[in-house]
mmCIF file of all heavy atoms in Angstrom:
data_model
loop_
_atom_site.group_PDB
_atom_site.id
_atom_site.type_symbol
_atom_site.label_atom_id
_atom_site.label_comp_id
_atom_site.label_asym_id
_atom_site.label_seq_id
_atom_site.Cartn_x
_atom_site.Cartn_y
_atom_site.Cartn_z
ATOM 1 N N ASP A 111 0.828 -1.208 0.000
ATOM 2 C CA ASP A 111 0.000 0.000 0.000
ATOM 3 C C ASP A 111 0.862 1.257 0.000
ATOM 4 O O ASP A 111 0.564 2.232 -0.714
ATOM 5 C CB ASP A 111 -0.932 0.003 1.218
ATOM 6 C CG ASP A 111 -1.992 -1.083 1.142
ATOM 7 O OD1 ASP A 111 -2.470 -1.357 0.029
ATOM 8 O OD2 ASP A 111 -2.333 -1.655 2.182
ATOM 9 N N ASP A 112 1.912 1.262 0.785
ATOM 10 C CA ASP A 112 2.836 2.394 0.836
ATOM 11 C C ASP A 112 3.526 2.582 -0.508
ATOM 12 O O ASP A 112 3.661 3.716 -1.008
ATOM 13 C CB ASP A 112 3.866 2.157 1.938
ATOM 14 C CG ASP A 112 4.823 3.326 2.137
ATOM 15 O OD1 ASP A 112 4.352 4.471 2.231
ATOM 16 O OD2 ASP A 112 6.045 3.081 2.201
ATOM 17 N N TYR A 113 3.952 1.495 -1.109
ATOM 18 C CA TYR A 113 4.595 1.524 -2.425
ATOM 19 C C TYR A 113 3.655 2.083 -3.483
ATOM 20 O O TYR A 113 4.026 2.984 -4.254
ATOM 21 C CB TYR A 113 5.055 0.107 -2.787
ATOM 22 C CG TYR A 113 5.377 -0.130 -4.231
ATOM 23 C CD1 TYR A 113 6.306 0.659 -4.909
ATOM 24 C CD2 TYR A 113 4.759 -1.160 -4.939
ATOM 25 C CE1 TYR A 113 6.609 0.430 -6.245
ATOM 26 C CE2 TYR A 113 5.057 -1.399 -6.266
ATOM 27 C CZ TYR A 113 5.975 -0.603 -6.923
ATOM 28 O OH TYR A 113 6.266 -0.829 -8.246
ATOM 29 N N TYR A 114 2.426 1.589 -3.523
ATOM 30 C CA TYR A 114 1.462 2.056 -4.521
ATOM 31 C C TYR A 114 1.137 3.536 -4.321
ATOM 32 O O TYR A 114 1.071 4.306 -5.286
ATOM 33 C CB TYR A 114 0.173 1.238 -4.429
ATOM 34 C CG TYR A 114 0.302 -0.218 -4.781
ATOM 35 C CD1 TYR A 114 -0.573 -1.171 -4.238
ATOM 36 C CD2 TYR A 114 1.288 -0.675 -5.649
ATOM 37 C CE1 TYR A 114 -0.473 -2.508 -4.561
ATOM 38 C CE2 TYR A 114 1.399 -2.020 -5.975
ATOM 39 C CZ TYR A 114 0.517 -2.929 -5.424
ATOM 40 O OH TYR A 114 0.625 -4.259 -5.743
ATOM 41 N N ARG A 115 0.928 3.922 -3.068
ATOM 42 C CA ARG A 115 0.519 5.304 -2.783
ATOM 43 C C ARG A 115 1.591 6.310 -3.194
ATOM 44 O O ARG A 115 1.293 7.357 -3.763
ATOM 45 C CB ARG A 115 0.206 5.448 -1.296
ATOM 46 C CG ARG A 115 -0.181 6.853 -0.855
ATOM 47 C CD ARG A 115 -0.564 6.879 0.617
ATOM 48 N NE ARG A 115 0.509 6.389 1.472
ATOM 49 C CZ ARG A 115 1.528 7.132 1.884
ATOM 50 N NH1 ARG A 115 1.623 8.413 1.509
ATOM 51 N NH2 ARG A 115 2.456 6.628 2.668
ATOM 52 N N LYS A 116 2.839 6.000 -2.933
ATOM 53 C CA LYS A 116 3.909 6.951 -3.195
ATOM 54 C C LYS A 116 4.349 6.986 -4.660
ATOM 55 O O LYS A 116 4.957 7.977 -5.096
ATOM 56 C CB LYS A 116 5.110 6.623 -2.313
ATOM 57 C CG LYS A 116 4.880 6.881 -0.835
ATOM 58 C CD LYS A 116 6.085 6.502 0.002
ATOM 59 C CE LYS A 116 5.864 6.836 1.474
ATOM 60 N NZ LYS A 116 7.003 6.388 2.326
ATOM 61 N N ASN A 117 4.046 5.958 -5.420
ATOM 62 C CA ASN A 117 4.644 5.837 -6.749
ATOM 63 C C ASN A 117 3.668 5.874 -7.915
ATOM 64 O O ASN A 117 4.102 5.839 -9.066
ATOM 65 C CB ASN A 117 5.466 4.553 -6.812
ATOM 66 C CG ASN A 117 6.681 4.615 -5.903
ATOM 67 O OD1 ASN A 117 7.645 5.313 -6.184
ATOM 68 N ND2 ASN A 117 6.629 3.886 -4.790
ATOM 69 N N SER A 118 2.380 5.962 -7.662
ATOM 70 C CA SER A 118 1.417 6.102 -8.753
ATOM 71 C C SER A 118 1.582 7.471 -9.395
ATOM 72 O O SER A 118 1.589 8.493 -8.707
ATOM 73 C CB SER A 118 -0.010 5.934 -8.230
ATOM 74 O OG SER A 118 -0.210 4.629 -7.730
ATOM 75 N N CYS A 119 1.682 7.507 -10.709
ATOM 76 C CA CYS A 119 1.988 8.768 -11.392
ATOM 77 C C CYS A 119 0.799 9.720 -11.474
ATOM 78 O O CYS A 119 0.977 10.905 -11.757
ATOM 79 C CB CYS A 119 2.523 8.491 -12.793
ATOM 80 S SG CYS A 119 1.268 7.906 -13.969
ATOM 81 N N ARG A 120 -0.409 9.235 -11.213
ATOM 82 C CA ARG A 120 -1.597 10.078 -11.400
ATOM 83 C C ARG A 120 -1.501 11.368 -10.597
ATOM 84 O O ARG A 120 -1.917 12.438 -11.066
ATOM 85 C CB ARG A 120 -2.848 9.293 -11.013
ATOM 86 C CG ARG A 120 -4.149 10.011 -11.332
ATOM 87 C CD ARG A 120 -5.343 9.104 -11.159
ATOM 88 N NE ARG A 120 -6.576 9.765 -11.545
ATOM 89 C CZ ARG A 120 -7.756 9.150 -11.662
ATOM 90 N NH1 ARG A 120 -7.835 7.845 -11.436
ATOM 91 N NH2 ARG A 120 -8.834 9.825 -12.014
ATOM 92 N N GLN A 121 -0.947 11.296 -9.411
ATOM 93 C CA GLN A 121 -0.851 12.468 -8.537
ATOM 94 C C GLN A 121 0.171 13.491 -9.028
ATOM 95 O O GLN A 121 0.208 14.617 -8.522
ATOM 96 C CB GLN A 121 -0.467 12.005 -7.130
ATOM 97 C CG GLN A 121 0.882 11.306 -7.051
ATOM 98 C CD GLN A 121 1.077 10.531 -5.776
ATOM 99 O OE1 GLN A 121 0.922 11.089 -4.691
ATOM 100 N NE2 GLN A 121 1.417 9.257 -5.876
ATOM 101 N N TYR A 122 1.000 13.109 -10.014
ATOM 102 C CA TYR A 122 2.038 14.007 -10.528
ATOM 103 C C TYR A 122 1.663 14.646 -11.866
ATOM 104 O O TYR A 122 2.376 15.538 -12.334
ATOM 105 C CB TYR A 122 3.344 13.232 -10.711
ATOM 106 C CG TYR A 122 3.960 12.756 -9.424
ATOM 107 C CD1 TYR A 122 3.667 11.495 -8.920
ATOM 108 C CD2 TYR A 122 4.828 13.567 -8.707
ATOM 109 C CE1 TYR A 122 4.228 11.054 -7.724
ATOM 110 C CE2 TYR A 122 5.400 13.133 -7.512
ATOM 111 C CZ TYR A 122 5.087 11.866 -7.027
ATOM 112 O OH TYR A 122 5.654 11.443 -5.852
ATOM 113 N N LEU A 123 0.576 14.201 -12.484
ATOM 114 C CA LEU A 123 0.260 14.641 -13.844
ATOM 115 C C LEU A 123 0.037 16.146 -13.945
ATOM 116 O O LEU A 123 0.421 16.774 -14.937
ATOM 117 C CB LEU A 123 -0.979 13.908 -14.356
ATOM 118 C CG LEU A 123 -0.878 12.379 -14.484
ATOM 119 C CD1 LEU A 123 -2.211 11.801 -14.953
ATOM 120 C CD2 LEU A 123 0.238 11.991 -15.453
ATOM 121 N N SER A 124 -0.573 16.734 -12.938
ATOM 122 C CA SER A 124 -0.906 18.166 -13.004
ATOM 123 C C SER A 124 0.330 19.050 -13.021
ATOM 124 O O SER A 124 0.251 20.227 -13.386
ATOM 125 C CB SER A 124 -1.792 18.552 -11.821
ATOM 126 O OG SER A 124 -1.095 18.371 -10.594
ATOM 127 N N GLN A 125 1.488 18.514 -12.636
ATOM 128 C CA GLN A 125 2.707 19.305 -12.545
ATOM 129 C C GLN A 125 3.560 19.245 -13.817
ATOM 130 O O GLN A 125 4.599 19.901 -13.899
ATOM 131 C CB GLN A 125 3.538 18.810 -11.358
ATOM 132 C CG GLN A 125 2.789 18.848 -10.032
ATOM 133 C CD GLN A 125 3.519 18.083 -8.937
ATOM 134 O OE1 GLN A 125 4.717 18.256 -8.742
ATOM 135 N NE2 GLN A 125 2.800 17.221 -8.240
ATOM 136 N N ILE A 126 3.143 18.458 -14.801
ATOM 137 C CA ILE A 126 3.955 18.265 -16.004
ATOM 138 C C ILE A 126 3.794 19.446 -16.949
ATOM 139 O O ILE A 126 2.679 19.811 -17.338
ATOM 140 C CB ILE A 126 3.563 16.959 -16.721
ATOM 141 C CG1 ILE A 126 3.832 15.757 -15.807
ATOM 142 C CG2 ILE A 126 4.333 16.807 -18.039
ATOM 143 C CD1 ILE A 126 3.366 14.434 -16.387
ATOM 144 N N THR A 127 4.901 20.041 -17.339
ATOM 145 C CA THR A 127 4.904 21.132 -18.310
ATOM 146 C C THR A 127 5.592 20.746 -19.615
ATOM 147 O O THR A 127 5.429 21.430 -20.624
ATOM 148 C CB THR A 127 5.612 22.369 -17.720
ATOM 149 O OG1 THR A 127 6.954 22.023 -17.338
ATOM 150 C CG2 THR A 127 4.867 22.882 -16.495
ATOM 151 N N THR A 128 6.366 19.671 -19.612
ATOM 152 C CA THR A 128 7.017 19.184 -20.831
ATOM 153 C C THR A 128 5.959 18.731 -21.832
ATOM 154 O O THR A 128 4.987 18.068 -21.446
ATOM 155 C CB THR A 128 7.934 17.985 -20.498
ATOM 156 O OG1 THR A 128 8.906 18.394 -19.544
ATOM 157 C CG2 THR A 128 8.627 17.463 -21.743
ATOM 158 N N PRO A 129 6.090 19.063 -23.132
ATOM 159 C CA PRO A 129 5.144 18.550 -24.128
ATOM 160 C C PRO A 129 5.092 17.028 -24.076
ATOM 161 O O PRO A 129 6.096 16.349 -24.356
ATOM 162 C CB PRO A 129 5.726 19.038 -25.457
ATOM 163 C CG PRO A 129 6.534 20.239 -25.091
ATOM 164 C CD PRO A 129 7.097 19.955 -23.736
ATOM 165 N N THR A 130 3.943 16.483 -23.674
ATOM 166 C CA THR A 130 3.829 15.053 -23.385
ATOM 167 C C THR A 130 2.564 14.476 -23.989
ATOM 168 O O THR A 130 1.467 15.002 -23.772
ATOM 169 C CB THR A 130 3.823 14.810 -21.862
ATOM 170 O OG1 THR A 130 5.027 15.329 -21.284
ATOM 171 C CG2 THR A 130 3.723 13.329 -21.545
ATOM 172 N N LEU A 131 2.717 13.376 -24.721
ATOM 173 C CA LEU A 131 1.589 12.639 -25.293
ATOM 174 C C LEU A 131 1.378 11.369 -24.490
ATOM 175 O O LEU A 131 2.314 10.602 -24.266
ATOM 176 C CB LEU A 131 1.877 12.282 -26.753
ATOM 177 C CG LEU A 131 0.865 11.364 -27.450
ATOM 178 C CD1 LEU A 131 -0.481 12.065 -27.622
ATOM 179 C CD2 LEU A 131 1.408 10.894 -28.802
ATOM 180 N N ILE A 132 0.140 11.139 -24.035
ATOM 181 C CA ILE A 132 -0.216 9.889 -23.367
ATOM 182 C C ILE A 132 -1.222 9.159 -24.250
ATOM 183 O O ILE A 132 -2.265 9.718 -24.601
ATOM 184 C CB ILE A 132 -0.820 10.131 -21.977
ATOM 185 C CG1 ILE A 132 0.152 10.906 -21.082
ATOM 186 C CG2 ILE A 132 -1.191 8.799 -21.324
ATOM 187 C CD1 ILE A 132 -0.420 11.246 -19.711
ATOM 188 N N LEU A 133 -0.906 7.929 -24.593
ATOM 189 C CA LEU A 133 -1.791 7.088 -25.399
ATOM 190 C C LEU A 133 -2.362 5.982 -24.518
ATOM 191 O O LEU A 133 -1.608 5.201 -23.925
ATOM 192 C CB LEU A 133 -1.039 6.489 -26.586
ATOM 193 C CG LEU A 133 -0.510 7.483 -27.619
ATOM 194 C CD1 LEU A 133 0.314 6.767 -28.680
ATOM 195 C CD2 LEU A 133 -1.658 8.249 -28.270
ATOM 196 N N GLN A 134 -3.669 5.929 -24.443
ATOM 197 C CA GLN A 134 -4.334 4.985 -23.549
ATOM 198 C C GLN A 134 -5.534 4.371 -24.256
ATOM 199 O O GLN A 134 -6.067 4.962 -25.210
ATOM 200 C CB GLN A 134 -4.788 5.728 -22.288
ATOM 201 C CG GLN A 134 -4.843 4.889 -21.040
ATOM 202 C CD GLN A 134 -3.475 4.579 -20.487
ATOM 203 O OE1 GLN A 134 -2.484 5.226 -20.811
ATOM 204 N NE2 GLN A 134 -3.399 3.569 -19.629
ATOM 205 N N SER A 135 -5.964 3.211 -23.782
ATOM 206 C CA SER A 135 -7.112 2.539 -24.383
ATOM 207 C C SER A 135 -8.196 2.297 -23.341
ATOM 208 O O SER A 135 -7.896 1.957 -22.191
ATOM 209 C CB SER A 135 -6.675 1.200 -24.990
ATOM 210 O OG SER A 135 -7.795 0.462 -25.431
ATOM 211 N N HIS A 136 -9.445 2.452 -23.754
ATOM 212 C CA HIS A 136 -10.569 2.189 -22.859
ATOM 213 C C HIS A 136 -10.640 0.717 -22.466
ATOM 214 O O HIS A 136 -11.172 0.390 -21.400
ATOM 215 C CB HIS A 136 -11.884 2.610 -23.520
ATOM 216 C CG HIS A 136 -12.137 4.088 -23.494
ATOM 217 N ND1 HIS A 136 -12.351 4.789 -22.330
ATOM 218 C CD2 HIS A 136 -12.202 5.000 -24.505
ATOM 219 C CE1 HIS A 136 -12.549 6.072 -22.606
ATOM 220 N NE2 HIS A 136 -12.459 6.225 -23.913
ATOM 221 N N ASP A 137 -10.138 -0.172 -23.325
ATOM 222 C CA ASP A 137 -10.258 -1.606 -23.042
ATOM 223 C C ASP A 137 -8.962 -2.212 -22.506
ATOM 224 O O ASP A 137 -8.751 -3.420 -22.581
ATOM 225 C CB ASP A 137 -10.714 -2.372 -24.281
ATOM 226 C CG ASP A 137 -9.685 -2.369 -25.409
ATOM 227 O OD1 ASP A 137 -8.686 -1.623 -25.332
ATOM 228 O OD2 ASP A 137 -9.885 -3.137 -26.389
ATOM 229 N N ASP A 138 -8.100 -1.378 -21.929
ATOM 230 C CA ASP A 138 -6.862 -1.884 -21.337
ATOM 231 C C ASP A 138 -7.202 -2.822 -20.182
ATOM 232 O O ASP A 138 -7.853 -2.413 -19.217
ATOM 233 C CB ASP A 138 -6.022 -0.705 -20.827
ATOM 234 C CG ASP A 138 -4.607 -1.110 -20.433
ATOM 235 O OD1 ASP A 138 -4.424 -2.221 -19.906
ATOM 236 O OD2 ASP A 138 -3.682 -0.310 -20.640
ATOM 237 N N PRO A 139 -6.769 -4.092 -20.248
ATOM 238 C CA PRO A 139 -7.121 -5.050 -19.194
ATOM 239 C C PRO A 139 -6.430 -4.784 -17.867
ATOM 240 O O PRO A 139 -6.741 -5.426 -16.866
ATOM 241 C CB PRO A 139 -6.662 -6.392 -19.788
ATOM 242 C CG PRO A 139 -5.558 -6.035 -20.728
ATOM 243 C CD PRO A 139 -5.962 -4.714 -21.317
ATOM 244 N N PHE A 140 -5.493 -3.846 -17.836
ATOM 245 C CA PHE A 140 -4.777 -3.548 -16.602
ATOM 246 C C PHE A 140 -5.514 -2.543 -15.725
ATOM 247 O O PHE A 140 -5.091 -2.313 -14.591
ATOM 248 C CB PHE A 140 -3.378 -2.990 -16.916
ATOM 249 C CG PHE A 140 -2.370 -4.037 -17.287
ATOM 250 C CD1 PHE A 140 -2.621 -4.953 -18.300
ATOM 251 C CD2 PHE A 140 -1.158 -4.110 -16.635
ATOM 252 C CE1 PHE A 140 -1.687 -5.915 -18.651
ATOM 253 C CE2 PHE A 140 -0.215 -5.064 -16.968
ATOM 254 C CZ PHE A 140 -0.485 -5.980 -17.982
ATOM 255 N N MET A 141 -6.557 -1.929 -16.232
ATOM 256 C CA MET A 141 -7.210 -0.900 -15.427
ATOM 257 C C MET A 141 -8.677 -0.733 -15.786
ATOM 258 O O MET A 141 -9.109 -1.038 -16.901
ATOM 259 C CB MET A 141 -6.495 0.438 -15.603
ATOM 260 C CG MET A 141 -6.604 1.038 -16.982
ATOM 261 S SD MET A 141 -5.473 2.427 -17.155
ATOM 262 C CE MET A 141 -3.898 1.568 -17.094
ATOM 263 N N ALA A 142 -9.440 -0.258 -14.795
ATOM 264 C CA ALA A 142 -10.834 0.093 -15.020
ATOM 265 C C ALA A 142 -10.895 1.504 -15.601
ATOM 266 O O ALA A 142 -9.952 2.292 -15.478
ATOM 267 C CB ALA A 142 -11.609 0.024 -13.709
ATOM 268 N N THR A 143 -12.015 1.832 -16.228
ATOM 269 C CA THR A 143 -12.155 3.131 -16.884
ATOM 270 C C THR A 143 -11.985 4.291 -15.916
ATOM 271 O O THR A 143 -11.424 5.341 -16.279
ATOM 272 C CB THR A 143 -13.530 3.222 -17.570
ATOM 273 O OG1 THR A 143 -13.667 2.146 -18.499
ATOM 274 C CG2 THR A 143 -13.682 4.531 -18.326
ATOM 275 N N ASP A 144 -12.427 4.104 -14.659
ATOM 276 C CA ASP A 144 -12.337 5.218 -13.710
ATOM 277 C C ASP A 144 -10.910 5.495 -13.249
ATOM 278 O O ASP A 144 -10.664 6.445 -12.516
ATOM 279 C CB ASP A 144 -13.248 4.974 -12.502
ATOM 280 C CG ASP A 144 -12.860 3.730 -11.693
ATOM 281 O OD1 ASP A 144 -11.842 3.077 -12.024
ATOM 282 O OD2 ASP A 144 -13.582 3.420 -10.729
ATOM 283 N N GLN A 145 -9.960 4.678 -13.684
ATOM 284 C CA GLN A 145 -8.562 4.929 -13.349
ATOM 285 C C GLN A 145 -7.874 5.824 -14.380
ATOM 286 O O GLN A 145 -6.720 6.222 -14.189
ATOM 287 C CB GLN A 145 -7.808 3.599 -13.224
ATOM 288 C CG GLN A 145 -8.259 2.784 -12.018
ATOM 289 C CD GLN A 145 -7.809 1.339 -12.091
ATOM 290 O OE1 GLN A 145 -6.838 1.024 -12.762
ATOM 291 N NE2 GLN A 145 -8.525 0.461 -11.408
ATOM 292 N N ILE A 146 -8.561 6.136 -15.458
ATOM 293 C CA ILE A 146 -8.019 7.053 -16.456
ATOM 294 C C ILE A 146 -8.248 8.487 -15.967
ATOM 295 O O ILE A 146 -9.362 8.854 -15.591
ATOM 296 C CB ILE A 146 -8.699 6.841 -17.815
ATOM 297 C CG1 ILE A 146 -8.421 5.420 -18.320
ATOM 298 C CG2 ILE A 146 -8.204 7.864 -18.835
ATOM 299 C CD1 ILE A 146 -9.156 5.057 -19.591
ATOM 300 N N PRO A 147 -7.224 9.309 -15.917
ATOM 301 C CA PRO A 147 -7.366 10.662 -15.364
ATOM 302 C C PRO A 147 -8.304 11.541 -16.184
ATOM 303 O O PRO A 147 -8.436 11.377 -17.401
ATOM 304 C CB PRO A 147 -5.934 11.198 -15.374
ATOM 305 C CG PRO A 147 -5.215 10.386 -16.392
ATOM 306 C CD PRO A 147 -5.837 9.028 -16.353
ATOM 307 N N GLU A 148 -8.929 12.490 -15.501
ATOM 308 C CA GLU A 148 -9.787 13.476 -16.137
ATOM 309 C C GLU A 148 -8.942 14.619 -16.686
ATOM 310 O O GLU A 148 -7.778 14.808 -16.307
ATOM 311 C CB GLU A 148 -10.798 14.011 -15.132
ATOM 312 C CG GLU A 148 -11.688 12.958 -14.501
ATOM 313 C CD GLU A 148 -12.681 12.364 -15.489
ATOM 314 O OE1 GLU A 148 -12.982 13.044 -16.505
ATOM 315 O OE2 GLU A 148 -13.152 11.241 -15.255
#
């Protein structure tokens, strides 16, 4: 739990200023749809 909490990138996304492309799929078997950031 400590490892997951400290290292999930979702909490860092708002701080990114570098031009960055994220490619994601709605049917990714590794995650539920609500895990995709808004």
Side-chain angles (χ1 to χ4, degrees):
D111 292 324
D112 184 48
Y113 163 55
Y114 295 153
R115 178 176 58 83
K116 291 178 177 176
N117 293 287
S118 296
C119 72
R120 187 170 184 171
Q121 62 196 306
Y122 293 92
L123 298 178
S124 63
Q125 303 168 48
I126 298 175
T127 58
T128 301
T130 301
L131 173 67
I132 302 177
L133 296 175
Q134 209 74 18
S135 173
H136 282 294
D137 66 350
D138 191 324
F140 281 53
M141 67 191 68
T143 303
D144 62 3
Q145 292 164 24
I146 298 174
E148 302 291 337

